[in-house]
Amino acid sequence: MSNNVPKLFGSLVFNDKVMKERLPKETYRAIQHSIKSGTPLSGETANIVAGAMKDWAIEKGATHYTHWFQPMTGITAEKHDSFLTPVSDGEVIMNFSGKELIKGEPDASSFPSGGIRATFEARGYTAWDPSSYAFIKNGALCIPTAFMSYTGEVLDKKTPLLRSMNVLGKQAARVLKLFGKNVTVDTTVGPEQEYFLIDRDTYERRKDLVITGRTLLGARPPKGQELEDHYFGNIKPRVMAFMQDLDRELWKFGIYAKTRHNEVAPAQHELAPIFCSVNISTDHNQLTMEIMKKVAEEHGLCCLLHEKPFAGVNGSGKHNNWSMSTSEGENLLNPGKSPESNFQFLLFLTAVIEAVDRHQDLLRLSVASAGNDHRLGANEAPPAILSIYLGDELTSILDSIAEGKPYSKRGGVKFKTGVDSIPLFTQDTTDRNRTSPFAFTGNKFEFRMLGSAVNISCPNVMINTAVAEALCAFADRLEKSKNFEEDVVKLIKESYREHKRIVFNGNNYTKEWEDEAEKRGLLNLKSTPDALCRYDREENIALFEKFKIYTAAEIRAREEILLENYSKVLNIEALTMIDMVGKQILPAVFAYSSDLAEGIVHKQACNVSARAESDLLKKITNLSDAAYDALNRLSDTVVEAKGVLDFKAAAFFYRDNVLPAMQELRTHCDALEMLVESDYWPIPTYCDLLFY
Ligand code: ADP
Ligand code: MG
């Protein structure tokens, strides 16, 4: 295998370098213009690009092409067509036209559309997004596309993201113009991806993992993460081999895989790429998740991306590092050496604070899912309450502006290592606060509520749109200003005063914070149905319509799709559990009980005590009776849930009835697992899964 990373990097991508090499100069210029300005290519140019793409793809071994898109399922979709075109005499040529490149027509009726589809034709369109490069995967040329219905309603995750980048870029550029800068602005994101790796063989012997991605049963292993010996720990050879292959695969796709390490929980790991434009980092993150699964399989492993595969063990998240950057390469969230006098930075910082405070619910609901509900607020991830960590220095700068008091600088504190050979270094402006859901980390914000499985487009749509709104209001005001500097300070002062309740630098995992947040009037949307039901509030519809991100109908459709998805996930989990307990767990418990009983009879026939066995048998019988009853109750509850027709009511019914019934059944089964001889236990245990 080649270790020439620069050569490997992007070798499966029709990127800028390839375009430069293979396209006529005017075509290359036309496509660059189209990417930068977002205007469509002419039919003629599209034909030339398509031809070049096809030739390149065929040289790389591809036979097919596909429009690669991100429907509301959250994962990517593709339908392969071969380049094959019949000509006379049974001969074929390999053909790919500009029309096929630009537009596709998959059947929209098989993807979630939340009622939009029902009222129109089933047809859907995919449209090429030239700002994200085409690539080759599984012998097919994949063309990143947006997906919409026949009548133009968006049915995917990419279109709103592109719109939101555009909107934020425009508003940020307006503000920068007032600072004398004529630039365009892009959103940058680097998503850190957590995941579990387990042995494929044990995985396949657990129906719950195969069907739902998480364990629905399983007693705590004797050792968890309490020794804190896994985080950044030595990577075992089998996992290292996987990571090396994974990096190589990702590099081929032009993905900037940078960091790899063990995470907190046993069998948990993380991969972080170098940040880039959010449209690309979203596509790359979707690809990364897919490739992780594929490479794991090749190594006899299984990659679990579920937010909470194991109860009692930390789940997996995804940290969405977010910032804005100009065409001159200036990071707008870089505080510089003297943030106290960097009013451009302070203004953008204030806009983010205002945006997060105003739209707590949108940020919260953008990460809501049945899986993520197990993490948020469980002392391993931030609570369901949005707040911002700014750190002491920035907080006191903004506080002093708000109070009209002069700010006294702490000074660049030199960090003393106490070891002569290690040079002194200056401390960062902010310390780390790992409990904050939205933390300023030096020159970017890190949104930490995301679950590991989520498509990052939705959270970024929310951040972009909310910040665009704040910047739009700032620009409206400042464009009229006669005394710019004074008015900037005034604006920061007013906005920060109004929204500073969202700033919290303390420990987000405590009960005290929950109480304090309530006093401050912050939202605490604990579950997915609570959060999603706020999607179509009037303010939210107004926001999205103002910036043309979604129409009211599109928002309602999204709410419906996501709430229905929540109910469907819980329904599948409950049915899987019923199957496993009824067909695997209880029969195993009965077999063991009956062998125990037989042993007791034999022992008693020999006139020796069978006290221990009898006692154990009694305990097991009590538990298996309880499990049996709980199983029946869960079955009844699932039947009842099916009768709840309204999608909102159904989601709450699943949350309030099905989930607790599953929990009750689990408690009995996990207690049984501790008592039943391991040879009888029909499925791999947490020990088998986590310590391989
Ligand atoms: P950690 O948070 O684990 O300490 P880093 O600070 O190195 O790690 O960065 C985490 C992620 O943030 C990486 O993906 C990195 O590329 C990304 N990142 C760094 N700067 C920016 C930025 N300006 N905009 C968006 N993401 C960024
Ligand atoms: Mg991080």
Side-chain angles (χ1 to χ4, degrees), residues 543-560:
L543 171 74
F544 290 125
E545 289 199 322
K546 174 172 180 186
F547 292 103
K548 300 197 168 44
I549 308 289
Y550 300 119
T551 62
E554 286 165 356
I555 291 170
R556 294 206 181 92
R558 260 151 224 261
E559 182 174 321
E560 186 178 328

Side-chain angles (χ1 to χ4, degrees), residues 29-296:
R29 269 200 297 271
I31 194 164
Q32 285 304 313
H33 176 74
S34 162
I35 292 170
K36 289 208 178 90
S37 65
T39 47
L41 284 182
S42 74
E44 200 185 319
T45 314
N47 270 330
I48 300 171
V49 178
M53 266 188 190
K54 178 206 67 184
D55 292 342
W56 169 81
I58 289 173
E59 278 168 36
K60 298 259 175 197
T63 50
H64 288 66
Y65 73 92
T66 178
H67 280 196
W68 184 77
F69 58 103
Q70 299 173 30
M72 288 300 293
T73 52
I75 53 175
T76 53
E78 49 193 78
K79 178 191 92 186
H80 296 193
D81 281 304
S82 69
F83 292 124
L84 193 134
T85 311
V87 285
S88 57
D89 297 337
E91 305 251 322
V92 295
I93 54 164
M94 297 300 253
N95 204 18
F96 184 49
S97 69
K99 226 165 118 191
E100 287 166 315
L101 165 65
I102 288 177
K103 198 175 102 182
E105 274 194 50
D107 180 2
S109 65
S110 309
F111 294 101
S113 70
I116 283 178
R117 179 195 65 231
T119 43
F120 303 98
E121 285 191 70
R123 249 191 294 175
Y125 286 124
T126 48
W128 181 33
D129 163 24
S131 63
S132 181
Y133 299 134
F135 54 90
I136 294 172
K137 181 168 66 74
N138 300 329
L141 170 68
C142 298
I143 299 148
T145 52
F147 179 46
M148 61 209 70
S149 77
Y150 178 63
T151 39
E153 281 89 358
V154 293
L155 296 175
D156 74 339
K157 307 222 169 204
K158 184 188 264 287
T159 317
L161 180 65
L162 291 170
R163 289 177 181 168
S164 75
M165 290 167 71
N166 209 342
V167 158
L168 177 62
K170 254 187 210 144
Q171 300 307 330
R174 274 179 75 196
V175 171
L176 287 171
K177 201 159 193 185
L178 300 168
F179 284 92
K181 295 176 185 173
N182 223 335
V183 288
T184 56
V185 177
D186 194 17
T187 322
T188 55
V189 164
E192 300 163 63
Q193 177 73 49
E194 290 180 349
Y195 60 96
F196 278 88
L197 269 191
I198 59 171
D199 181 74
R200 184 115 210 135
D201 181 50
T202 46
Y203 161 80
E204 276 167 2
R205 288 191 287 129
R206 298 263 327 202
K207 271 189 204 170
D208 48 4
L209 281 176
V210 172
I211 296 173
T212 72
R214 77 176 179 107
T215 54
L216 301 167
L217 304 163
R220 231 189 90 81
K223 177 179 185 250
Q225 60 203 43
E226 59 277 70
L227 296 179
E228 298 174 340
D229 54 354
H230 195 256
Y231 190 56
F232 284 15
N234 242 329
I235 302 173
K236 54 181 161 209
R238 200 172 162 195
V239 172
M240 199 60 221
F242 159 84
M243 287 179 167
Q244 281 167 345
D245 260 6
L246 175 64
D247 278 344
R248 277 206 187 86
E249 281 305 305
L250 296 175
W251 291 334
K252 284 188 207 164
F253 286 97
I255 296 171
Y256 309 104
K258 171 88 173 161
T259 311
R260 57 192 188 198
H261 62 80
N262 283 352
E263 257 302 326
V264 173
Q268 192 184 32
H269 314 280
E270 181 181 298
L271 178 140
I274 298 171
F275 70 95
C276 61
S277 175
V278 62
N279 179 32
I280 313 287
S281 52
T282 304
D283 285 358
H284 282 180
N285 184 246
Q286 291 297 116
L287 262 178
T288 299
M289 291 193 284
E290 187 183 328
I291 294 167
M292 277 177 161
K293 290 193 169 246
K294 194 176 132 224
V295 175

Side-chain angles (χ1 to χ4, degrees), residues 188-192 259 261 270 272-276 319 321-324 331 432 441 443-444 446:
T188 55
V189 164
E192 300 163 63
T259 311
H261 62 80
E270 181 181 298
I274 298 171
F275 70 95
C276 61
H319 291 172
N321 294 274
W322 179 95
S323 189
M324 295 161 280
N331 175 1
R432 289 293 162 114
T441 47
N443 57 4
K444 61 189 189 283
E446 187 168 342

